[in-house]
Amino acid sequence: MTTAAPAATTRASAPNRPADVIFKAVSTTAGVLILIALAGVAIFLVAQAVPAIIGPLPDDDSFWAWVWPLTFGTLWSAFLAMVMAVPMAIAIALFITHFAPRRLASILGYAIDLLAAIPSVIYGLWGIAVLAPFMQPAYAWLAENLGWIPLFSPPASGTGRTILTAAIVLAVMVLPIITALCREIFLQTPRLNEEASLALGATRWEMIRMAVLPHGRSGIIASSILGLGRALGETMAVAMVLASAGAVTFVVVGSQNPSTIAANIALRFPEAHGITVNMLIGSGLVLFAITLLVNAISRWIIAKTTVDGGR
Amino acid sequence: MSKRIEINDLDVYYGAFKAVEGVSLEIEPRSVTAFIGPSGCGKSTVLRTINRMHEVIAGAYVDGEILLDGANLYGSGVDPVNVRRQIGMVFQRPNPFPTMTIRENVLAGVLLNNRRMSKGDQDDLVERSLRGANLWNEVKDRLGIPGSGLSGGQQQRLCIARAIAVSPDVLLMDEPCSALDPISTLAIEDLIEELKQEYTIVIVTHNMQQASRVSDKTAFFNIAGTGKPGKLIEYDETTRIFSNPSVQSTEDYVSGRFG
Amino acid sequence: MSKRIEINDLDVYYGAFKAVEGVSLEIEPRSVTAFIGPSGCGKSTVLRTINRMHEVIAGAYVDGEILLDGANLYGSGVDPVNVRRQIGMVFQRPNPFPTMTIRENVLAGVLLNNRRMSKGDQDDLVERSLRGANLWNEVKDRLGIPGSGLSGGQQQRLCIARAIAVSPDVLLMDEPCSALDPISTLAIEDLIEELKQEYTIVIVTHNMQQASRVSDKTAFFNIAGTGKPGKLIEYDETTRIFSNPSVQSTEDYVSGRFG
Amino acid sequence: ANESGADEAAPEGSQAAGSSLSGDLAGAGASSMGAAQEAWIAGFQTENPDVNVTYDPAGSGAGREQFIAGGVSFAGSDAYLKDEELEGEFGACVPDTLPVDLPVYISPIAVIFNVEGVDSLNMDASTIAKIFSGQITSWDDPAIAEQNEGVELPATPIQPVHRSDDSGTTENFTEYLAATAAADWTEGVFETWPSSVYSTSEGAQGTSGVVDAVSNGTGTIGYADASRAGDLGTVALKVGEEYVPFTADAAAAAVDASPRVEGRHEGDIAVELDRTTTEAGVYPLVLISYAIACSEYQDAEAGELVKAYLSYVASEEGQAAGQENAGNAPISDELRDEILAVVDSIQ
Amino acid sequence: MTTTISAPRQAQNPLTAGQLPRWSPWATLLAALLVGAAVAGLIAGASGAQFSIVTTAVIGFVLYLVAITVVSQLIEGGRKATDRFVTGLVTGAFLLALIPLVSLVVTVVANGLARFDLEFFTYSMRNVVGEGGGVLHAIVGTLLVTLWAAIISVPVGIFTAIYLVEYGKGKLAKAITFFVDVMTGIPSIVAGLFAYALFALFFGEGVRSGIGGAVALSLLMIPTVVRSTEEMLKLVPNDLREASLALGVPKWLTIAKVVLPTALAGIVTGVTLAVARVIGETAPLLIIAGFTTNMNYNVFDGRMMTLPVFAYNQYVSPGVQEQAYFDRAWAAALILILIVMILNIVARLIAHFFAPKAGR
Ligand SMILES: Nc1ncnc2c1ncn2[C@@H]1O[C@H](COP(=O)(O)OP(=O)(O)OP(=O)(O)O)[C@@H](O)[C@H]1O
Ligand SMILES: Nc1ncnc2c1ncn2[C@@H]1O[C@H](COP(=O)(O)OP(=O)(O)OP(=O)(O)O)[C@@H](O)[C@H]1O
Ligand SMILES: [Mg+2]
Ligand SMILES: [Mg+2]
Ligand SMILES: O=P([O-])([O-])[O-]
């Protein structure tokens, strides 16, 4: 509601107090500072990326041909991770808010939160030492018995360090982020609506479907986007766990896996020099653009799907 | 459709706190019963125990029994979901589902039980319920807009339509008009008058004029002080409660000497 | 200390929506004035314009003037912060600051404004204000506990103590008892009776008994329907409003025929 | 607790009291040298308690880059400075002087594998090339079996593992295969395993990644700095008619048997490794890492520190310390003398 | 509650249409798990492999879901069956999520305890070769770098949140909200590269310092601080703002003295989460904070070791005595997790003491 006020009214006549002005200015500056920092990052990325984009590159490839497999791997691994993490996170958040006994719920919630605090290197170590060997037999089985499904085309990796393993690690890493937010959102479902559905004789699940999920829809999207941002940008864990080959393939159990942009930077940067540095930072720019796009799209979706609550 | 309710020596607790003590009363079918009393005396609490909605609040439980045509709501093996389907409820603040259209709101409860209702039957039911809630004429041309797009009074009637669409036996209303303007209030009071032909109605109200206008019998609750349990002080014909109550505090309350 | 208020042809808008139209009335010093009327008629809205608290709501603005002993509150160069220091306000729900003790709550007006005051003066002020709010005896031994540890009625009196601690000229109260039990309500009503010796008091209430018990004059507001602006229908001595009002709708309202 | 000057870890007979050196010295570069540098730094700092040396094992490329930019005073690198690099400026050096490459770290590269019940295997270069290029896919392949009579080889598929990051180890490994088994290894020498070729092999990050992948997988084979072979099975390479397992001496011998790169500037010691040698007792799959330093520093103090540090590194004591901690092969005395002569000339 | 009359009454009580007894889900679960174990045993027997708990759990869980749904469908009807199915599913999802958590914690603790000794907490790695040594320098580094990251990002984050909640309405606020979300997606390594480029601009190539690491971490931390603080400020009831304003308190003092203290507990929790988010970052610190075995208390000068970089390095380039390096790596990881836990506990204590006291 930003209707222009009739001219003759006394809307804003108060003299501004200096302290108020300063406080507001400080707050505004802080916000603007964030924009400046982000602009700084963007400028840095663009400036470094330009030489790589206009080429020429060592292998005569175009920059885009070089970055495409990495982009694919980034999106594919993040997609796999989200496919696992989002339903899980929603289920866990529901469990904590609506199913578990209350006392237990807060402790369990804390335990899940703790996952967010574990450093990515440790996820990497765990992925190599525990998860990959654990998953390897399953991959072998899948490749052997369900190999006709393109996802599971043999041969299976002998070490289990496939994109699916990396995606599982990513899923575990983003799970607490999404769960924590969904939990807050589900807790804020208007009691009135929950009670309305229960009073109509809804079971617990029906109540969740009628009141909790519709109310939380935009929040679920928003939290998933936050999680997705982490999954897209995760560096160390993926670099350590994934047997990357820069392939463009949907097979999730094999030795030849796509690499991701962030992990590739970590792998290549130490030995990079000259134009390769520009290429790597250029790929960082692509990742940045993806994040920007994903956020914009999610906002658009949220704006479209949110029914305006007011009168 | 409508049924008789019998409350026997009911205590209600919120955790360790006893909110209501020793309530016993009988409510006849096809009648309107008003619960009145000062704030915090337990009117809402007792009302919610009638369809086991208090169980939604963590730690709340009852001691005593409530019979619906002789069947104990708190008997072993009774499913609260069944209870609530037979005893509908309308809340103080209108609470249509914000993501649903008017039509979907009315059908919300029905579709739970009967997924495969034909389009025609659905249309019938929507019309019947909205007519029953005196809302049909105002919304018939825009059944597809979100329920939250209506005015407060219309929303409240939408909630009533939603509640009667599942054909309950009893309708509980917790201060259904307290958030509404006078015109909407009158519309709802008229509606209660009509609904009484088919349903047993229990209404909580802060407004004594409203109680005297709409109810056949009135129950007066009171509380001795903060932290004490609320009690049923007097239950009688509405005319008697307002003209010649037998307890002094009822007299004080209805005559406006306190509360 | 107390001052006279004069409202001249006041319109209040929430953005494009005109919530109140053409209100004019005069309030004498050292008197209690009650605003009554059905929900949504603009009682709270008008009350908040008296200390410019409506400005806190984005998009709200007024047209018209309000004079405090002849000085226009909306004159150019008037600082709303100063206005609010002279015209205190008590809200519907008790809202002590949860992070502060009882003592700090009473001193909030002083402490929050970074004003320096000696320990002795502070003690004096706390005692004076709490006595003024009839709360001293109940809390004098536990001034250090959080304000939210009190019962609802005590909290509300604490809020009144907080309001009078800054020595305002006028005290505005928006349904100060509607969340309280009857005993607390009576305590607050007694308090209003006493405060009237020193302050000009304006109180909004839904409870007509309360209005007739505490106020000297009563203003009745009404609204033609949802979306229409509220209007001042009648303003007169309380006894007259309740016994022999000159407008039919006032009569209908106070006799309980609607609302 | 070990930070204070008087150090309990100081070996007896140290000249700590006599040292007059002080200051900070920063180096960066090859991760292969990381563990050796740790030992050298510890030994050097013990002798010179007032000196702080850091070595950031960020990678050879990063090390050279930082050295060129003047961010560090010396670099560690799996490769000597390229000609085009020599044409540029060096941040820390006096303009128009050239830096020197000193081969201070020699280490065998082991071909490691994980096959149950097998500790060591004999292979010729062509077999290794075929395995890593995907032409041999099962452990019981006759090509392996006939070189290993009496060893029970299972029918498990072979899972080769390579370095997924840019690596000097990969470069040396592929150089060996390209030189000795060109027919089976057609992709030549590379530092980064290309994604388009030999795609049966699986990438892993860093030496540790390869070692982990090999030890946690089944039927795996990989290559890594020999010090990290641990309990894994290792391959003895066919040199001439013999199968030579890796040893420090065999690796050092490989360097001694190799000629110098031609056309380098004075003081630079760049070794052209001879992979095809048939000399007895030589293990030709070795990696050389160079210390790169200015011949003349802009900052004389830095020059002094580098000089002292590199003298220690090349000394018998330093090389022994390196071997103990990092498992590298100590340089031979002739090489040492050569290096020390260059170090002495650093200003 | 008397059993004697409940039977006849149940027969006539129309409200008691088919219900499963309370114990039935547990009984079903037990039965399902037993069947699962039997099947897993058979598979193990047939293939000669080891008995698999995983197979047992998977088969048991699926069986349970099917059984409870079918039984409920028959006795209680479709709606109840769906409810039970979803309950099973949701609970299962939760338990599944606990598995990696437990596995991670167990792995870290089991491996980390080997070097959890006094020396580890009191020594740096200066002059340490092979076994022994400690991480005091890395602990100090991590604490300092993170502290500085917090010093940079907490004020910026909180003031931004204040702007968004208390002042911002227009395009700028929208832009900030949007870009804060975008910022959460900056890959940590890019943050490190950016911080390096920024510092190299002023201090020349090869610059390494703790403060650079702090700047990189701030970039990652700020969005989390903004988001959580924003939510907390929104939760402060408007009542309180109005109460303060009505006392004639200017807006800025209302925010500073009423709104912030009320939200303090939540803000502290949010900041802790943000710290936890960055304290384990490796990639940016590798680039800008550098690597050293020595103690360094000065964030503005010289390389600074941090726990994640230490753990990573010990793992990546161990010497001959591998195990000593790996033990140190895991122990460092364990310390990192402990630091985060302690931070959490402290935050909870703060939250507990500063949280608005609940009424009555
Ligand atoms: N969820 C709850 N948890 C704990 N106590 C509660 C809860 N709801 C109500 N109470 C307490 O139970 C008592 C009765 O409350 P109830 O809401 O039934 O009163 P009421 O008569 O409906 O009042 P009102 O007119 O204000 O609606 C009060 O003391 C109240 O504080
Ligand atoms: N913040 C707001 N924004 C927009 N409209 C508002 C706002 N607050 C109140 N209104 C509208 O202004 C009108 C008057 O509201 P007000 O709250 O003053 O009524 P009231 O008489 O105090 O009612 P009640 O007895 O329910 O407190 C109503 O139509 C209401 O919807
Ligand atoms: Mg109530
Ligand atoms: Mg109001
Ligand atoms: O020593 P590298 O890491 O380059 O193999």
Side-chain angles (χ1 to χ4, degrees):
Chain A
M1 289 258 169
T2 46
T3 340
T9 55
T10 46
R11 198 205 287 239
S13 54
N16 284 324
R17 304 166 157 268
D20 260 333
V21 174
I22 293 170
F23 196 79
K24 182 172 181 182
V26 169
S27 307
T28 316
T29 313
V32 171
L33 208 62
I34 290 183
L35 294 185
I36 292 175
L38 212 62
V41 173
I43 290 169
F44 159 73
L45 288 174
V46 171
Q48 293 281 318
V50 163
I53 294 174
I54 57 178
L57 304 187
D59 309 334
D60 301 328
D61 263 350
S62 85
F63 173 74
W64 304 112
W66 174 78
V67 86
W68 155 242
L70 298 172
T71 312
F72 169 81
T74 307
L75 294 175
W76 178 228
S77 62
F79 169 78
L80 288 174
M82 296 315 278
V83 163
M84 290 181 274
V86 172
M88 283 284 284
I90 294 173
I92 294 166
L94 282 178
F95 179 79
I96 292 174
T97 54
H98 286 88
F99 289 87
R102 269 214 289 181
R103 224 150 218 290
L104 187 66
S106 69
I107 299 172
L108 298 179
Y110 179 64
I112 297 282
D113 283 350
L114 201 65
L115 276 174
I118 294 177
S120 43
V121 189
I122 297 174
Y123 276 106
L125 293 176
W126 175 76
I128 301 173
V130 180
L131 185 63
F134 176 80
M135 296 303 291
Q136 200 276 332
Y139 296 154
W141 186 87
L142 283 173
E144 199 174 311
N145 297 295
L146 299 176
W148 47 271
I149 302 175
L151 287 180
F152 305 131
S153 300
S157 156
T159 64
R161 293 157 49 259
T162 72
I163 191 129
L164 188 53
T165 304
I168 293 175
V169 171
L170 284 179
V172 178
M173 292 178 84
V174 300
L175 200 60
I177 297 174
I178 307 179
T179 308
L181 269 165
C182 283
R183 213 167 58 200
E184 292 306 312
I185 291 156
F186 292 163
L187 281 176
Q188 281 165 22
T189 310
R191 258 213 106 73
L192 283 170
N193 286 330
E194 289 188 21
E195 294 194 341
S197 55
L198 288 175
L200 285 174
T203 59
R204 180 158 51 186
W205 166 239
E206 287 161 351
M207 181 269 280
I208 289 170
R209 247 189 34 218
M210 279 164 89
V212 179
L213 293 183
H215 167 81
R217 183 156 52 200
S218 64
I220 293 171
I221 297 174
S223 60
S224 304
I225 295 308
L226 275 186
L228 179 59
R230 181 93 202 258
L232 287 171
E234 177 50 41
T235 311
M236 247 4 178
V238 178
M240 290 168 78
V241 170
L242 181 62
S244 59
V248 178
T249 167
F250 287 103
V251 178
V252 297
V253 298
S255 302
Q256 297 304 300
N257 297 290
S259 187
T260 74
I261 291 178
N264 187 63
I265 297 177
L267 287 179
R268 299 272 172 273
F269 200 78
E271 299 290 331
H273 53 86
I275 191 88
T276 7
V277 173
N278 300 108
M279 289 164 70
L280 290 174
I281 297 182
S283 69
L285 178 66
V286 172
L287 182 51
F288 190 73
I290 293 174
T291 321
L292 205 85
L293 204 68
V294 162
N295 270 288
I297 292 174
S298 76
R299 276 193 184 255
W300 181 74
I301 293 174
I302 290 171
K304 275 206 84 164
T305 56
T306 312
V307 183
D308 213 350
R311 316 167 173 204
Chain B
M1 284 262 253
S2 78
K3 289 197 174 166
R4 122 190 300 262
I5 303 165
E6 203 182 318
I7 303 179
N8 289 332
D9 198 16
L10 185 81
D11 298 343
V12 193
Y13 298 81
Y14 289 110
F17 171 57
K18 190 187 225 175
V20 174
E21 189 175 65
V23 172
S24 299
L25 49 78
E26 282 183 27
I27 295 168
E28 295 302 317
R30 286 164 216 271
S31 73
V32 178
T33 304
F35 287 3
I36 62 170
S39 193
C41 65
K43 306 180 294 294
S44 304
T45 302
V46 171
L47 193 76
R48 291 169 72 100
T49 56
I50 299 178
N51 71 343
R52 298 185 64 165
M53 276 300 288
H54 69 284
E55 288 171 14
V56 171
I57 296 156
Y61 64 97
V62 305
D63 192 1
E65 59 174 21
I66 298 181
L67 309 178
L68 186 71
D69 268 2
N72 187 1
L73 297 184
Y74 290 92
S76 74
V78 172
D79 181 359
V81 169
N82 277 333
V83 172
R84 291 178 199 143
R85 223 177 293 152
Q86 290 176 42
I87 308 184
M89 188 157 190
V90 175
F91 298 81
Q92 184 165 5
R93 299 178 53 86
N95 56 0
F97 297 116
T99 49
M100 297 187 188
T101 63
I102 293 179
R103 190 189 144 87
E104 286 165 350
N105 259 293
V106 175
L107 292 173
V110 189
L111 292 183
L112 290 180
N113 278 313
N114 192 356
R115 292 278 166 71
R116 260 173 293 282
M117 196 181 229
S118 79
K119 173 92 174 48
D121 287 354
Q122 289 186 1
D123 291 344
D124 275 1
L125 182 67
V126 170
E127 177 167 350
R128 197 151 20 94
S129 308
L130 285 172
R131 275 193 199 285
N134 265 343
L135 190 61
W136 175 248
N137 286 324
E138 290 160 60
V139 301
K140 62 170 180 255
D141 303 325
R142 42 181 183 154
L143 294 175
I145 69 162
S148 47
L150 298 174
S151 82
Q154 292 173 326
Q155 287 188 20
Q156 193 61 298
R157 276 177 286 155
L158 177 58
C159 293
I160 295 177
R162 182 176 65 187
I164 59 181
V166 295
S167 335
D169 304 316
V170 178
L171 212 50
L172 309 176
M173 301 185 170
D174 192 351
E175 307 194 30
C177 304
S178 74
L180 304 182
D181 63 87
I183 288 101
S184 310
T185 302
L186 283 183
I188 303 247
E189 286 181 9
D190 290 347
L191 175 58
I192 292 173
E193 198 64 29
E194 279 175 40
L195 292 174
K196 169 174 131 174
Q197 314 303 325
E198 287 194 62
Y199 305 95
T200 307
I201 295 176
V202 185
I203 178 170
V204 170
T205 176
H206 251 118
N207 183 322
M208 271 166 283
Q209 282 73 32
Q210 185 170 69
S212 66
R213 279 195 300 264
V214 302
S215 71
D216 303 311
K217 295 186 95 177
T218 296
F220 171 62
F221 292 79
N222 203 358
I223 184 177
T226 307
K228 301 265 165 53
K231 287 184 180 167
L232 174 63
I233 303 298
E234 192 170 356
Y235 176 52
D236 214 327
E237 299 293 326
T238 298
T239 45
R240 223 185 117 91
I241 291 275
F242 281 92
S243 61
N244 187 19
S246 51
V247 183
Q248 180 59 37
S249 69
T250 315
E251 167 98 50
D252 287 354
Y253 186 74
V254 297
S255 65
R257 270 197 286 281
F258 82 85
Chain C
M1 283 264 252
S2 76
K3 289 197 175 166
R4 122 191 298 264
I5 303 166
E6 203 181 319
I7 302 180
N8 290 331
D9 197 17
L10 186 81
D11 298 343
V12 193
Y13 298 81
Y14 289 110
F17 172 57
K18 190 187 225 176
V20 175
E21 190 175 63
V23 172
S24 300
L25 48 78
E26 283 182 29
I27 295 167
E28 295 302 318
R30 286 164 216 271
S31 73
V32 177
T33 304
F35 287 3
I36 62 169
S39 193
C41 66
K43 307 179 295 291
S44 304
T45 302
V46 171
L47 193 77
R48 290 169 72 101
T49 57
I50 299 179
N51 72 345
R52 297 185 63 166
M53 276 299 287
H54 68 283
E55 287 171 14
V56 170
I57 295 156
Y61 64 95
V62 304
D63 190 3
E65 58 174 21
I66 299 182
L67 309 178
L68 188 70
D69 270 1
N72 187 2
L73 296 184
Y74 289 91
S76 74
V78 174
D79 182 354
V81 169
N82 283 333
V83 172
R84 292 177 200 143
R85 251 173 241 166
Q86 288 175 49
I87 307 183
M89 190 159 187
V90 175
F91 298 81
Q92 183 166 5
R93 301 181 55 85
N95 53 3
F97 297 118
T99 49
M100 300 185 186
T101 63
I102 293 179
R103 188 190 144 87
E104 288 165 348
N105 260 292
V106 176
L107 292 172
V110 177
L111 298 179
L112 290 178
N113 273 311
N114 288 335
R115 252 183 281 147
R116 238 166 286 286
M117 193 184 249
S118 79
K119 174 94 174 45
D121 288 353
Q122 288 187 357
D123 291 344
D124 277 359
L125 182 62
V126 170
E127 178 166 350
R128 196 149 23 92
S129 307
L130 285 172
R131 276 194 198 283
N134 265 341
L135 191 61
W136 177 249
N137 286 326
E138 290 160 60
V139 302
K140 61 170 180 253
D141 303 326
R142 42 179 182 153
L143 294 175
I145 70 161
S148 45
L150 298 175
S151 81
Q154 290 172 326
Q155 288 188 19
Q156 194 62 298
R157 276 178 285 155
L158 178 59
C159 292
I160 295 177
R162 181 175 68 185
I164 61 181
V166 294
S167 337
D169 305 315
V170 179
L171 213 50
L172 309 176
M173 301 185 169
D174 192 352
E175 306 194 31
C177 303
S178 74
L180 305 182
D181 63 87
I183 288 101
S184 310
T185 302
L186 283 182
I188 303 251
E189 286 180 11
D190 290 347
L191 174 59
I192 292 173
E193 198 65 31
E194 279 175 42
L195 291 174
K196 170 173 128 172
Q197 315 302 324
E198 287 195 63
Y199 305 96
T200 308
I201 294 176
V202 186
I203 178 171
V204 171
T205 177
H206 251 117
N207 184 322
M208 272 166 282
Q209 282 75 33
Q210 185 170 68
S212 66
R213 280 195 299 263
V214 302
S215 71
D216 303 310
K217 293 186 96 179
T218 296
F220 171 62
F221 292 78
N222 203 357
I223 185 175
T226 307
K228 301 264 165 52
K231 288 185 180 165
L232 174 63
I233 304 297
E234 193 170 355
Y235 176 53
D236 214 329
E237 298 295 326
T238 299
T239 44
R240 223 186 117 91
I241 291 277
F242 281 92
S243 59
N244 186 18
S246 53
V247 183
Q248 180 59 38
S249 70
T250 315
E251 166 98 50
D252 287 354
Y253 186 75
V254 297
S255 64
R257 270 197 284 284
F258 82 87
Chain D
N2 53 338
E3 286 280 335
S4 51
D7 207 300
E8 62 261 61
E12 66 284 7
S14 85
Q15 324 96 316
S19 166
S20 57
L21 285 173
S22 68
D24 291 345
L25 175 61
S31 53
S32 49
M33 275 206 234
Q37 288 279 2
E38 231 169 65
W40 294 330
I41 290 171
F44 184 69
Q45 285 182 158
T46 309
E47 285 179 12
N48 306 280
D50 295 333
V51 180
N52 280 323
V53 186
T54 56
Y55 179 80
D56 184 351
S60 306
R64 290 204 303 272
E65 195 102 320
Q66 284 184 44
F67 177 73
I68 290 170
V72 289
S73 304
F74 71 96
S77 172
D78 294 337
Y80 46 83
L81 287 166
K82 302 185 177 77
D83 290 342
E84 64 263 27
E85 284 169 330
L86 286 172
E87 280 160 21
E89 298 276 302
F90 293 88
C93 312
V94 171
D96 296 330
T97 60
L98 288 175
V100 289
D101 294 292
L102 306 169
V104 292
Y105 179 88
I106 298 168
S107 177
I109 294 171
V111 177
I112 50 178
F113 60 85
N114 183 6
V115 178
E116 220 173 277
V118 186
D119 287 339
S120 71
L121 286 172
N122 295 334
M123 289 190 195
D124 55 17
S126 135
T127 310
I128 297 175
K130 281 179 179 160
I131 287 176
F132 277 88
S133 61
Q135 298 167 58
I136 297 178
T137 57
S138 178
W139 280 107
D140 58 358
D141 193 282
I144 306 175
E146 70 194 19
Q147 297 181 65
N148 293 282
E149 269 162 41
V151 180
E152 184 104 8
L153 285 165
T156 6
I158 300 182
Q159 175 66 69
V161 180
H162 62 257
R163 292 277 294 269
S164 61
D165 50 340
D166 296 7
S167 158
T169 314
T170 302
E171 190 177 17
N172 281 285
F173 179 67
T174 53
E175 205 176 284
Y176 167 73
L177 293 182
T180 52
D184 301 307
W185 190 257
T186 51
E187 290 296 327
V189 183
F190 44 76
E191 206 176 319
T192 314
W193 203 280
S195 51
S196 45
V197 300
Y198 303 146
S199 61
T200 49
S201 179
E202 185 171 281
Q205 185 206 18
T207 304
S208 289
V210 171
V211 172
D212 272 339
V214 171
S215 20
N216 291 328
T218 47
T220 41
I221 183 166
Y223 55 88
D225 199 282
S227 60
R228 301 293 312 281
D231 297 334
L232 290 166
T234 53
V235 172
L237 301 180
K238 186 170 188 189
V239 180
E241 290 310 309
E242 306 259 309
Y243 288 95
V244 186
F246 73 83
T247 59
D249 292 342
V255 175
D256 290 336
S258 301
R260 294 293 136 80
V261 181
E262 313 228 328
R264 300 290 289 188
H265 55 280
E266 198 201 321
D268 192 78
I269 311 174
V271 179
E272 172 100 61
L273 276 167
D274 180 11
R275 311 286 187 184
T276 52
T277 179
T278 51
E279 232 170 281
V282 168
Y283 186 84
L285 182 48
V286 296
L287 169 142
I288 296 181
S289 250
Y290 297 88
I292 301 177
C294 296
S295 50
E296 230 174 294
Y297 281 86
Q298 287 183 3
D299 175 0
E301 232 168 90
E304 196 140 338
L305 283 173
V306 172
K307 192 168 167 175
Y309 180 63
L310 291 184
S311 310
Y312 173 77
V313 167
S315 72
E316 213 164 328
E317 190 190 340
Q319 288 291 313
Q323 181 177 26
E324 195 180 321
N325 191 45
N328 56 320
I331 53 177
S332 62
D333 289 339
E334 304 92 76
L335 188 54
R336 176 183 359 271
D337 292 343
E338 204 177 333
I339 290 173
L340 283 178
V342 178
V343 170
D344 272 341
S345 69
I346 290 179
Q347 302 172 2
Chain E
M1 317 296 132
T2 40
T3 39
T4 42
I5 57 160
S6 69
R9 185 170 258 170
Q10 228 168 40
Q12 9 160 302
N13 195 335
L15 300 165
T16 45
Q19 260 207 97
L20 288 173
R22 283 179 140 270
W23 45 262
S24 51
W26 296 107
T28 316
L29 181 62
L30 188 69
L33 284 176
L34 287 177
V35 174
V39 173
L42 280 180
I43 293 177
S47 66
Q50 254 192 335
F51 175 79
S52 162
I53 295 181
V54 179
T55 318
T56 308
V58 169
I59 294 177
F61 180 65
V62 172
L63 265 182
Y64 167 76
L65 276 187
V66 172
I68 196 78
T69 311
V70 169
V71 171
S72 174
Q73 174 86 39
L74 294 178
I75 296 175
E76 298 179 315
R79 297 176 49 204
K80 261 300 175 82
T82 315
D83 195 52
R84 288 196 185 273
F85 176 73
V86 172
T87 306
L89 210 59
V90 162
T91 314
F94 179 77
L95 294 177
L96 185 60
L98 283 184
I99 293 174
L101 175 71
V102 171
S103 162
L104 259 162
V105 171
V106 166
T107 311
V108 174
V109 171
N111 289 307
L113 280 181
R115 272 310 312 277
F116 222 63
D117 47 39
L118 189 63
E119 185 183 358
F120 202 63
F121 289 92
T122 51
Y123 274 60
S124 70
M125 287 299 289
R126 185 181 168 89
N127 298 356
V128 172
V129 177
E131 289 175 355
V135 287
L136 188 58
H137 61 313
I139 294 177
V140 168
T142 284
L143 293 181
L144 284 177
V145 169
T146 317
L147 178 73
W148 275 95
I151 288 175
I152 297 169
S153 38
V154 169
V156 173
I158 289 183
F159 272 109
T160 302
I162 288 177
Y163 173 76
L164 292 177
V165 176
E166 309 283 343
Y167 294 107
K169 294 266 148 30
K171 287 226 167 65
L172 180 62
K174 278 216 174 104
I176 293 174
T177 314
F178 177 74
F179 282 106
V180 162
D181 278 358
V182 171
M183 209 169 167
T184 55
I186 294 184
S188 53
I189 192 160
V190 168
L193 293 175
F194 171 72
Y196 174 74
L198 187 71
F199 275 70
L201 216 55
F202 296 106
F203 304 103
E205 288 293 329
V207 59
R208 294 284 185 280
S209 67
I211 193 76
V215 168
L217 293 188
S218 312
L219 234 43
L220 305 171
M221 204 174 149
I222 285 175
T224 323
V225 177
V226 175
R227 278 312 218 89
S228 50
T229 309
E230 194 185 343
E231 292 308 316
M232 290 307 144
L233 292 183
K234 280 186 189 159
L235 286 182
V236 174
N238 242 333
D239 281 10
L240 296 181
R241 292 187 182 87
E242 297 202 336
S244 172
L245 291 171
L247 284 173
V249 178
K251 182 164 181 170
W252 78 277
L253 279 173
T254 300
I255 295 170
K257 293 189 146 188
V258 174
V259 178
L260 284 182
T262 309
L264 183 70
I267 294 175
V268 170
T269 314
V271 169
T272 321
L273 271 180
V275 168
R277 160 79 181 80
V278 299
I279 201 170
E281 278 301 342
T282 317
L285 295 178
L286 266 176
I287 292 172
I288 170 78
F291 175 93
T292 173
T293 52
N294 299 330
M295 231 33 211
N296 178 7
Y297 292 100
N298 185 357
V299 280
F300 295 100
D301 183 37
R303 285 143 222 274
M304 197 165 232
M305 194 57 153
T306 50
L307 282 170
V309 172
F310 177 84
Y312 180 69
N313 178 263
Q314 293 293 305
Y315 164 73
V316 164
S317 49
V320 175
Q321 286 162 305
E322 265 185 358
Q323 202 49 46
Y325 288 76
F326 293 160
D327 286 346
R328 280 196 292 258
W330 286 109
L334 181 56
I335 291 176
L336 204 47
I337 292 180
L338 285 178
I339 290 179
V340 171
M341 276 182 78
I342 291 170
L343 266 177
N344 261 300
I345 290 169
V346 171
R348 268 164 193 257
L349 286 179
I350 293 177
H352 178 76
F353 284 115
F354 286 84
K357 311 292 181 289
R360 285 173 231 198

